[in-house]
Amino acid sequence: MAVAGPPITEVVTGYLDRTGLPSWWETPGEVVAFPASTESHSWMVYALCMDERDQLLIHSVRDGRIPEQHRPSVGAFLHRANFGVVLGNFELDLDDGELRFKTSIDVGGDRLSDALVEHLMLANVAAFGRYLPGVDDVLAGADPHAAIEAVEAAEPAEN
């Protein structure tokens, strides 16, 4: 499929350069990484630039794995969170406990713009940052249903 604009890697790295976000290539030419944080959490964000498929995938990844004994309750919390999230979704690897949030776009031969990259990244980081305190609450023993209600009753953070 012919790409109508510059390669996705070029658009993403250009956007990160123009915004001044510190970033580096995790996998040269394919995965670029940068840090993100809220007042209470820090994590890494990975942008998988799939030029040959005209796709961009953004993952926010929680630092530290979810312990095996907590995966069912955290999974229940995330399932409830996913139901209300408009852009993206949470993923929990039940084998190793990795927790991440995914947003993606397929430009299908069109072009990727700075505005689209920005919307994709901001939606990702905002959702991940908003729900992480609820994950902490569940890890501390809170009921997943009560934790999701508390998160969703709070005002979303300004971006």
Side-chain angles (χ1 to χ4, degrees):
M1 179 180 306
V3 177
I8 288 173
T9 52
E10 186 178 310
V11 177
V12 170
T13 56
Y15 169 79
L16 291 170
D17 288 344
R18 284 186 290 284
T19 59
L21 285 170
S23 61
W24 56 90
W25 284 106
E26 191 74 18
T27 305
E30 188 174 317
V31 180
V32 64
F34 60 94
S37 64
T38 63
E39 289 181 17
S40 60
H41 293 87
S42 296
W43 66 92
M44 290 302 301
V45 180
Y46 301 93
L48 175 58
C49 304
M50 297 178 281
D51 290 321
E52 71 285 350
R53 295 172 61 182
D54 294 337
Q55 296 173 335
L56 172 61
L57 173 73
I58 310 291
H59 276 137
S60 278
V61 180
R62 182 181 180 271
D63 187 29
R65 306 296 175 147
I66 302 297
E68 188 170 1
Q69 70 272 21
H70 294 292
R71 291 176 196 162
S73 57
V74 169
F77 172 85
L78 297 174
H79 191 71
R80 289 180 181 279
N82 278 337
F83 189 76
V85 173
V86 175
L87 296 174
N89 64 282
F90 284 94
E91 300 174 330
L92 175 61
D93 187 318
L94 296 176
D95 294 325
D96 70 9
E98 180 180 69
L99 170 61
R100 62 191 188 189
F101 188 81
K102 175 179 66 181
T103 52
S104 59
I105 190 168
D106 183 326
V107 293
D110 203 343
R111 68 177 193 86
L112 185 64
S113 67
D114 277 359
L116 290 172
V117 171
E118 182 173 64
H119 289 274
L120 197 64
M121 289 187 181
L122 290 178
N124 186 294
V125 169
F128 200 65
R130 181 175 188 197
Y131 285 92
L132 275 179
V135 171
D136 291 344
D137 290 346
V138 172
L139 289 172
D143 173 70
H145 186 255
I148 201 72
E149 285 183 341
V151 167
E152 292 181 349
E155 288 293 317
E158 292 292 322
N159 292 327

